[in-house]
Amino acid sequence: MAQSASNPAGGVRTLIRYDGREKIAWDIFICAVVFLCAILVPYRLLSGFDPIDAFYVFVTVVFCIDIGIVFRTTVVSGRTVIADPEIIAQRYLRSWFFWDLLSAFPFPVFVLLAGNDTAAQGALLPWLGGLRLVRLLSLLKVNSFFGRLPEFVKISGAALRLVVFAYWLILVTHFIALGWLAIGAGKPEGEFFTRYLRALYWCITTISTIGYGDITPDHSNHLQLVYTMVIQLFGVGVYGFVIGNISTLVANLDAAKAEYKRKTGEVLEYMRRHAIPAPLQFKVRDYFAYLWETRGNVGKVEFLEELPRQLGVDLALFVNRDVIAKVPLFREADELFLRQVVGLLKPVVFLPGDNIMLEGEHADCMYFLSAGDVDVLVQGVARASLGAGSFFGEGALVEGGWRTATVRALGYCEGYSLSVEDFNLLRRRYPEFDKRVLEMVEARRR
Ligand code: CMP
């Protein structure tokens, strides 16, 4: 995940890739630390209990390490990746560096420097408290981190939006509750935590537009009244947003599953309308269930056809890696052949008992089996059994066009078909393929 960059001194310094897993993991960790800071820093400040403790040291150290990491991480500008440490440093110094330094800077050292001078300490302390809030600026970076989460963890777009929404909602609720205390609202008695809980309770009942009314602003205090009204309006917005979005978010949480349900629903409705016999209906339903379980989708993935050719080939190579690994004819083939062949293969599924081809039938394609077993029958007598990794249907394409045997699927079978035109093209272009196919035809004839 690391990338090397030569430096003017002649040595080679290691840079961290901006899209490396380690960097993304670090960013997620920073998101969590920033979240913790956003919760604890203002809370501690308001409670008046804000010591220089392990939490403070931990956050300071993490933020300092982060600055070091940013200096050593490649950056993207448009579509180009910048791996020159000098340019990286310049860009960082011109953008976030100052704020990051301010967030990480251990300001309490000034208090220590002031020594026993209590007047100086008294003047410094309120400033230091305020400066600690600078750490909240890091929240501005959080959304760009979230954007990269799907590269690291398997998360759908809808689930990610839910996580981001929850992250911000928790923080905003927390800030509003603290704001309520800061303006002196609520009963002043009790420990700070109890007062905070009461404020949070007020905040949640107000934002969620429940508004029990058991905790209310002091009606003679303008600030509290205005604050409440603003939060009430904000609550209406949030409520509308939640109602409007959560249902779509949840519905889209698993878009593929929703699509599967929609498609099967459509098919079942069609079969019901046409009074298709129950066993046939069952077979169709079973087929869709099989597709869903094995592939996680039903039917064609349309966007593949819109990809540029090379990208499409790369994707096809990856998607078809199972058949490439299993079929010896492919496994031993060279890269050029593979890149050509994956673009020509069409995925097929056969149901248990299906006659994939019938003896004497005209042939227009051959098949490669990636999963399942088939029986080869000549005049009703089993001649051979073929499993994953084998191919069949080549005989008729080489010799005359008529199937020499019946091939029947034993269970669910998956594989790929290759049309006669593409088969002939491959034979012409790749003599090695031609040779292997002819050898197989010869062997099977015996
Ligand atoms: P084809 O003649 O196109 O259609 C039937 C297919 O069954 C044939 O191609 C071969 O791929 C396959 N086949 C025929 N005989 C045998 C055999 N003895 N062993 C394995 N496969 C066979």
Side-chain angles (χ1 to χ4, degrees), residues 357 376 383-384 386 392-396 402-405 407 444:
M357 52 186 63
V376 179
R383 284 283 295 274
L386 303 174
F392 54 87
E394 79 296 342
W402 308 100
R403 298 293 186 199
T404 57
V407 178
R444 283 176 173 171

Side-chain angles (χ1 to χ4, degrees), residues 18 34 37 93 103 105 144 162 167 215-216 242 275 282 285 299 306 400 406 408 439:
Y18 79 97
V34 169
C37 276
L93 288 172
S103 320
F105 199 82
S144 69
L162 263 184
Y167 185 98
I215 299 180
T216 50
V242 172
F282 180 77
R285 214 179 311 174
E306 287 160 24
T406 293
R408 186 173 298 155
E439 276 168 13

Side-chain angles (χ1 to χ4, degrees), residues 211-226:
Y212 288 130
D214 50 350
I215 299 180
T216 50
D218 175 354
H219 288 198
S220 59
N221 185 316
H222 290 180
L223 183 58
Q224 289 186 24
L225 283 173
V226 171

Side-chain angles (χ1 to χ4, degrees), residues 171-395:
L171 286 184
V172 168
T173 314
H174 175 70
F175 293 152
I176 293 173
L178 290 179
W180 176 252
L181 293 179
I183 60 170
K187 276 188 273 174
E189 65 258 28
E191 274 178 37
F192 183 77
F193 182 66
T194 317
R195 283 170 49 217
Y196 168 74
L197 273 187
R198 279 203 297 264
L200 201 60
Y201 167 81
W202 167 84
C203 173
I204 290 172
T205 47
T206 310
I207 287 188
S208 59
T209 71
I210 295 170
Y212 288 130
D214 50 350
I215 299 180
T216 50
D218 175 354
H219 288 198
S220 59
N221 185 316
H222 290 180
L223 183 58
Q224 289 186 24
L225 283 173
V226 171
Y227 188 75
T228 307
M229 284 190 286
V230 171
I231 301 306
Q232 280 169 340
L233 286 177
F234 172 74
V236 173
V238 171
Y239 189 70
F241 178 84
V242 172
I243 297 298
N245 282 275
I246 290 287
S247 57
T248 2
L249 279 180
V250 174
N252 289 337
L253 260 183
D254 195 341
K257 182 121 198 188
E259 169 70 4
Y260 164 68
K261 284 197 173 148
R262 192 191 60 75
K263 228 170 197 167
T264 43
E266 227 170 63
V267 172
L268 292 181
E269 176 57 26
Y270 173 89
M271 293 194 297
R272 200 187 54 75
R273 226 181 309 125
H274 289 81
I276 307 286
L280 197 54
Q281 284 202 29
F282 180 77
K283 237 178 149 179
V284 173
R285 214 179 311 174
D286 202 39
Y287 167 70
F288 276 112
Y290 174 80
L291 282 189
W292 174 251
E293 273 162 33
T294 54
R295 302 183 182 184
N297 67 46
V298 276
K300 275 207 309 189
V301 188
E302 269 113 17
F303 78 91
L304 288 177
E305 283 153 27
E306 287 160 24
L307 289 178
R309 224 174 77 83
Q310 283 312 310
L311 193 57
V313 169
D314 285 340
L315 215 68
L317 270 174
F318 184 79
V319 173
N320 298 335
R321 65 194 181 285
D322 57 338
V323 70
I324 293 169
K326 276 186 199 136
V327 179
L329 195 67
F330 293 156
R331 208 171 46 219
E332 291 147 19
D334 66 19
E335 168 87 15
L336 277 179
F337 174 79
L338 278 184
R339 290 189 80 82
Q340 169 122 49
V341 89
V342 289
L344 305 176
L345 296 175
K346 307 266 176 312
V348 284
V349 173
F350 300 109
L351 276 58
D354 266 2
N355 284 326
I356 302 172
M357 52 186 63
L358 285 170
E359 192 176 345
E361 178 183 62
H362 186 70
D364 57 1
C365 66
M366 68 171 292
Y367 297 97
F368 299 91
L369 209 56
S370 59
D373 295 293
V374 296
D375 266 350
V376 179
L377 307 128
V378 176
Q379 284 170 0
V381 181
R383 284 283 295 274
S385 271
L386 303 174
S390 37
F391 59 88
F392 54 87
E394 79 296 342

